[in-house]
Amino acid sequence: MSRRDEVTALLQALLRLDTVNPPGNETKAAELIRAYLLENGVECELFARAPHRANLVARIKGGDGPSLAFLAHTDTVLADPTEWTRDPWSGDLVDGEVWGRGALDMKDQAAASVVAFASLAREGFEPSGDLVLLIVADEEVGGDDGYGLVWLCNEHPAAAHCDYALNEGAGERLELGGRPIYLCATAEKMSAPFTVRIHGRSGHASMPGIADNALVKAARYIEALGAYDPPKELIPEAKALLEVVLGEAPPLEDAVRRAADVHPMLPALVEPLLAFTLSPTMIDASHQRNVIPAVCEITVDCRLLPETTPADIEPLLRAALGNGRYDLEFDEATGGTRSPLDTPLWDALEQFTRELEPGARLAPMACPGFTDSHYLREAFGTVAYGFFPIKHMDPELATTLVHSADERIKVDDLELGVEMLRSVAQTLLAR
């Protein structure tokens, strides 16, 4: 069986397992992968905080050189079958595409990582340092009290430790002036949601004049948050991306416009890299129709630039909101880490990209969302990048399908992912 057929069959089997998180049930996926690895003569170990939330670790022992991990998660977000053209857990192969929840996020990369790892083991690969396979649970919900990589790093650090890691986060192909550019996530923004709690005075809804309606008062704060334009700055990842796609880093006020002139997808990538973002997403006030609320809470999704903290932006938020009877509280702060660009892992990815097609370039970016790369960077100082090349599917289509209906991946891209992972391991861990 070819590696193409192998990875397609494994992805189909993984997609047929419902690992929606919560509750996750990732042990089903870990056991499927364990059986596949054993058939290929590869030993592995399961680590689980709870019996149904297993993480899988396998290792090809190497010399005393640096180690490389293939990292992927097996849980997915939910799927509403009524929104889909096909069953979200069908794993159907149709016109060269594999359908199902998780086909792009990220059972595709999990299957490719497993097949790349097992095929190297079958061939007797002798790396200069350990090649590690980390297939983990609970990325989609996770958090510092999760069941996946954060728990594995804390409770079994020897199993999770690695010097370099390849994970999810980017890989989109953009064609700019006839030149292909592949994006690689070398950093991620911090997820720092906060709550604005507005205070008033309750009363009977039939007599609004006797109360001070906190819900009504919340309107101006929502408008202030929606209208706020955070100050911009040029972080290293944004500067390097702009230099690749534009040939220079333009003035900040021109960056988004210049990006739009080059490719319609670029503004959506560039803009979140220039400042922190605010998105009011939830509101909670009275839970009874005839009671005027004394308190109204606005929940805001907030993403900070790498290595920025909530304390850095809180004065800016309070200035934007102005005076009034309200509290502002950050609920958590997760992520916000980065890896350097000048590394042997970057060189290996750049070599693969150059060989993939004439004139291709690799460009760094900061992932606007959260990935498990954060936990490796935080625990071990791992150089972790997000890269899984999508060459054959339109990048705008692929982006819209993640966490959405009719998620699917082209088998050509699945096969390319296997070859990329094998190439990087053979280059980085060459003796």
Side-chain angles (χ1 to χ4, degrees):
M1 182 186 292
S2 68
R3 289 193 290 267
R4 178 186 178 91
D5 292 339
E6 210 173 334
V7 71
T8 302
L10 181 58
L11 176 58
Q12 288 180 284
L14 286 171
L15 293 174
R16 288 166 184 154
L17 301 176
D18 182 347
T19 53
V20 170
N21 185 13
N25 292 320
E26 299 95 339
T27 295
K28 295 185 294 185
E31 288 175 342
L32 174 70
I33 292 169
R34 177 169 62 180
Y36 166 86
L37 291 173
L38 290 174
E39 288 175 4
N40 284 272
V42 178
E43 297 291 332
C44 63
E45 191 170 357
L46 302 189
F47 299 85
R49 180 181 173 187
H52 64 295
R53 310 299 304 272
N55 306 278
L56 180 147
V57 181
R59 188 176 299 267
I60 298 175
K61 293 293 291 182
D64 57 3
S67 54
L68 168 67
F70 298 159
L71 170 63
H73 65 84
T74 56
D75 62 319
T76 73
V77 297
L78 54 78
D80 182 353
T82 64
E83 298 178 351
W84 284 61
T85 306
R86 315 187 76 86
D87 180 353
W89 295 279
S90 68
D92 285 346
L93 176 59
V94 182
D95 297 329
E97 296 178 329
V98 185
W99 287 59
R101 172 57 80 224
L104 288 166
D105 184 14
M106 66 173 297
K107 288 182 177 179
D108 57 337
Q109 193 163 347
S113 296
V114 172
V115 170
F117 185 92
S119 63
L120 288 168
R122 285 196 306 258
E123 295 166 8
F125 180 51
E126 296 182 354
S128 58
D130 288 2
L131 179 62
V132 186
L133 180 66
L134 296 175
I135 306 296
V136 301
D138 199 24
E139 190 273 347
E140 296 292 358
V141 176
D144 291 342
D145 194 36
Y147 294 82
L149 188 58
V150 63
W151 175 82
L152 196 64
C153 289
N154 290 335
E155 299 300 323
H156 300 278
H161 181 274
C162 54
D163 298 300
Y164 298 100
L166 278 174
N167 186 26
E168 66 179 339
E172 297 88 346
R173 178 189 186 274
L174 304 178
E175 191 160 313
L176 309 175
R179 182 181 61 179
I181 303 291
Y182 286 85
L183 300 176
C184 178
T186 61
E188 63 188 40
K189 298 181 80 170
M190 173 183 283
S191 176
F194 62 88
T195 300
V196 179
R197 188 175 297 105
I198 298 97
H199 298 281
R201 186 178 64 257
S202 62
H204 199 289
S206 66
M207 303 175 66
I210 67 170
D212 184 16
N213 195 323
L215 178 58
V216 173
K217 293 171 66 175
R220 79 173 182 89
Y221 296 106
I222 294 171
E223 288 183 350
L225 291 168
Y228 181 62
D229 184 19
K232 293 178 173 56
E233 62 178 287
L234 193 63
I235 61 174
E237 294 80 11
K239 181 175 185 291
L241 174 62
L242 290 168
E243 286 173 344
V244 170
V245 301
L246 300 178
E248 63 173 345
L252 281 170
E253 60 271 18
D254 294 334
V256 175
R257 178 186 58 79
R258 289 276 305 276
D261 292 340
V262 175
H263 194 282
M265 192 173 170
L266 272 179
L269 296 173
V270 171
E271 192 166 23
L273 303 186
L274 302 180
F276 68 89
T277 59
L278 305 173
S279 296
T281 54
M282 300 169 67
I283 191 165
D284 182 70
S286 177
H287 294 175
Q288 193 167 329
R289 177 184 56 79
N290 61 351
V291 176
I292 291 173
V295 176
C296 179
E297 292 187 344
I298 306 164
T299 300
V300 183
D301 183 277
C302 179
R303 309 289 171 131
L304 309 185
L305 294 174
E307 299 179 355
T308 305
T309 69
D312 295 327
I313 71 159
E314 184 172 341
L316 301 176
L317 297 176
R318 291 189 179 278
L321 290 168
N323 297 325
R325 293 182 59 201
Y326 68 85
D327 303 316
L328 190 157
E329 295 180 2
F330 281 89
D331 304 320
E332 60 184 4
T334 307
T337 52
R338 59 164 39 110
S339 291
L341 303 180
D342 184 15
T343 72
L345 180 56
W346 181 268
D347 294 341
L349 286 169
E350 207 165 40
Q351 176 180 318
F352 171 82
T353 304
R354 284 196 305 268
E355 294 172 355
L356 182 58
E357 54 182 312
R361 294 283 305 276
L362 192 67
M365 61 169 290
C367 181
F370 175 84
T371 76
D372 274 338
S373 292
H374 164 74
Y375 295 122
L376 292 179
R377 294 187 188 117
E378 187 178 52
F380 313 119
T382 302
V383 174
Y385 296 153
F387 187 70
F388 195 76
I390 300 294
K391 177 184 179 184
H392 302 281
M393 178 177 275
D394 178 83
E396 293 182 68
L397 173 62
T399 300
T400 61
L401 291 176
V402 175
H403 288 200
S404 187
D406 291 348
E407 186 179 357
R408 58 195 186 272
I409 185 171
K410 286 187 177 291
V411 174
D412 288 342
D413 286 325
L414 193 59
E415 180 184 26
L416 179 61
V418 175
E419 299 313 311
M420 179 274 296
L421 291 160
R422 285 172 50 87
S423 171
V424 170
Q426 290 167 323
T427 301
L428 187 66
L429 303 182
R431 283 187 180 271

